[in-house]
């Protein structure tokens, strides 16, 4: 399945929101993924999203 740039950036926003929410809910270690999410290209971002169960 192909994703365009807009969809990839939306996914990046969802992942960042997920880790920030997790950190606020008492799991601060989730913030360790922030740098990885911010620098990931589309393929890497999809792998991260699968890890979080978002795709």
């Amino acid at each position: 399945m192909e994703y365009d740039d807009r969809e990839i950036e939306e996914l990046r926003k969802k992942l960042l929101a997920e880790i920030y929410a997790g950190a606020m809910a008492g799991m601060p270690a989730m913030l360790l993924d922030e740098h990885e999410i911010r620098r990931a290209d589309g393929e890497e971002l999809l792998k991260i999203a699968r890890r979080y169960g978002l795709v």
Side-chain angles (χ1 to χ4, degrees):
M1 181 174 197
E2 289 290 319
Y3 290 88
D4 64 27
D5 290 341
R6 183 188 55 77
E7 291 170 317
I8 291 295
E9 289 309 311
E10 285 298 315
L11 182 56
R12 188 181 320 275
K13 287 178 186 179
K14 284 181 185 179
L15 282 165
L16 288 170
E18 185 81 13
I19 65 166
Y20 297 147
M24 294 300 292
M27 297 177 283
M30 291 182 77
L31 290 175
L32 297 173
D33 289 339
E34 181 181 15
H35 179 72
E36 181 182 13
I37 292 168
R38 289 194 181 277
R39 68 166 181 75
D41 66 14
E43 187 175 320
E44 293 170 332
L45 205 59
L46 286 170
K47 288 179 185 176
I48 297 167
R50 284 186 196 100
R51 201 168 64 211
Y52 276 87
L54 296 179
V55 291

